[in-house]
Amino acid sequence: MSPSFCSARFSVALFLVISAVPIAYLIFLERAAPSTYVFSYHSSGFFRECAKWDDVGRRFLVSFMDGGGIGEVVPRDGNSDVLQEVTVVRDIDLAGNASLGIAIDRDRNRLLVAVADLLGNRYSALAAYELSTWRRVFLAELSGHSTDKSLADDVAVDAHGNAYVTDAKGSKIWKVDVNGSLVSTIESPLFTPPGWYNNLVALNGIVYHPDGFLIVIHTFSGFLYKIDLTADVDAGSNKVSVIEVTGGTLRFGDGLELLSPTKIVVAGSPSAKLVESSDGWRTATVTGWFSSGMVHRLVSSATVKEGRVYLNHIVGFGSKKRHILVEAVF
């Protein structure tokens, strides 16, 4: 037997041994069921970026990271069987782009969807759909003809129907009015912390606070920002401030969910965190942690169903692409 043949056999054997380790670990993680309640559903795709509970429609709405679109998952009372995702939006003219963060605008019966060219970062938009008919109300193109890379990542809506979309590549926030017109861009030097590695994924999860400001997470640095929408646009740094967070890091935070005027959930891996403030979000404290144990599935967003927080996991597994929404108890 030639030395080259022996070497080849050894290389193949070594590859099989090495690859078997993560496969075995994934199988172990999949079999370790979370200790809290789980909604499971079969899907048409492997990647689901965001899930929000539609209380009026009695359904979860989920965004398709792979190929774009929106699906609904309807729970069945008293039935713990695996649910089925049904596609409700699939726009041909947006094919190839990802549907990322979503927000329900209940007052106007709309779903707002951040749309982006996930790999090339050459297209960003905000789409709005009627929740009852799924008719597209508007499509606001955000990246325009700029050669700068952008990534529309998440969206929040204020009391007047204005939408705020985070740019995870360009470190800015687009403001789109209720009619779908791009009216302004919020930028600040604070959105770009020192170190190139801190800006690989920049502004991400965003929520609107009823007192008239935004709370935004910067993923790779973990910075949490307060953006005062009532301040004069020309007031410079007075409009944007960094919330002083104690009790733990928010690095790798992704989606945000406002639980009350004083509490938010920061979804992320390896754990989601409960953050509280008693001074109008000038400062805040990490007061709780939760991990589903499904770190390989990657937590990306949080939503509230009947007072309980559920975490969306991006990655589905198996031939039927089973996804999970796990209750978080802090």
Side-chain angles (χ1 to χ4, degrees):
M1 187 177 297
S2 70
S4 59
F5 182 72
C6 291
S7 177
R9 288 183 60 185
F10 175 77
S11 298
V12 170
L14 182 62
F15 171 77
L16 292 174
V17 170
I18 293 174
S19 62
V21 173
I23 292 174
Y25 182 60
L26 288 177
I27 293 173
F28 170 77
L29 290 175
E30 278 294 291
R31 288 179 175 175
S35 60
T36 56
Y37 193 83
V38 178
F39 287 103
S40 299
Y41 65 94
H42 290 147
S43 171
S44 60
F46 281 109
F47 304 105
R48 296 294 176 258
E49 164 69 11
C50 187
K52 295 296 179 182
W53 173 249
D54 174 14
D55 190 56
V56 174
R58 309 302 299 167
R59 59 192 173 178
F60 289 103
L61 299 175
V62 296
S63 61
F64 300 174
M65 180 183 281
D66 42 355
I70 299 295
E72 68 173 13
V73 179
V74 180
R76 296 186 290 269
D77 292 339
N79 191 327
S80 60
D81 292 343
V82 178
L83 306 173
Q84 186 63 47
E85 170 194 278
V86 176
T87 299
V88 293
V89 171
R90 184 77 83 171
D91 287 337
I92 296 177
D93 58 337
L94 294 176
N97 292 295
S99 296
L100 299 176
I102 60 177
I104 295 174
D105 181 1
R106 177 49 59 194
D107 289 343
R108 279 151 286 273
N109 193 41
R110 294 177 178 178
L111 181 74
L112 300 173
V113 183
V115 179
D117 170 13
L118 191 61
L119 299 179
N121 306 143
R122 295 300 184 188
Y123 182 80
S124 289
L126 176 69
Y129 302 91
E130 285 187 352
L131 283 165
S132 51
T133 65
W134 295 113
R135 178 183 70 89
R136 193 165 78 190
V137 180
F138 66 72
L139 177 67
E141 295 192 0
L142 306 174
S143 50
H145 299 290
S146 173
T147 57
D148 295 334
K149 290 190 175 184
S150 67
L151 181 71
D153 199 311
D154 201 7
V155 57
V157 59
D158 69 17
H160 303 289
N162 299 303
Y164 302 87
V165 184
T166 53
D167 181 357
K169 276 292 182 184
S171 297
K172 60 182 177 292
I173 299 170
W174 294 285
K175 179 181 178 180
V176 178
D177 71 15
V178 69
N179 299 312
S181 297
L182 175 62
V183 295
S184 63
T185 302
I186 302 172
E187 299 180 284
S188 170
L190 295 175
F191 290 159
T192 310
W196 63 268
Y197 47 86
N198 278 325
N199 295 284
L200 293 174
V201 180
L203 301 182
N204 198 329
I206 183 171
V207 291
Y208 172 74
H209 192 282
D211 288 343
F213 56 87
L214 302 170
I215 300 175
V216 185
I217 185 78
H218 188 287
T219 292
F220 265 48
S221 71
F223 285 179
L224 197 64
Y225 301 101
K226 175 181 177 179
I227 303 169
D228 185 1
L229 300 176
T230 64
D232 187 342
V233 173
D234 297 325
S237 60
N238 292 331
K239 186 182 177 75
V240 179
S241 59
V242 178
I243 300 170
E244 182 183 338
V245 178
T246 58
T249 179
L250 300 181
R251 190 180 290 271
F252 305 125
D254 196 334
L256 303 182
E257 182 74 7
L258 187 71
L259 301 186
S260 75
T262 61
K263 296 180 182 180
I264 63 170
V265 171
V266 179
S269 294
S271 65
K273 291 163 184 174
L274 179 66
V275 183
E276 301 187 50
S277 175
S278 59
D279 59 5
W281 294 95
R282 185 180 64 82
T283 64
T285 303
V286 178
T287 59
W289 296 259
F290 176 82
S291 175
S292 66
M294 300 289 177
V295 294
H296 60 300
R297 286 180 173 262
L298 302 176
V299 174
S300 59
S301 70
T303 190
V304 176
K305 177 184 183 294
E306 291 152 0
R308 297 182 176 183
V309 177
Y310 291 89
L311 302 176
N312 176 71
H313 294 64
I314 292 178
V315 184
F317 277 86
S319 60
K320 294 184 178 181
K321 307 173 185 68
R322 187 177 70 92
H323 289 264
I324 57 173
L325 297 162
V326 179
E327 181 187 0
V329 177
F330 297 99

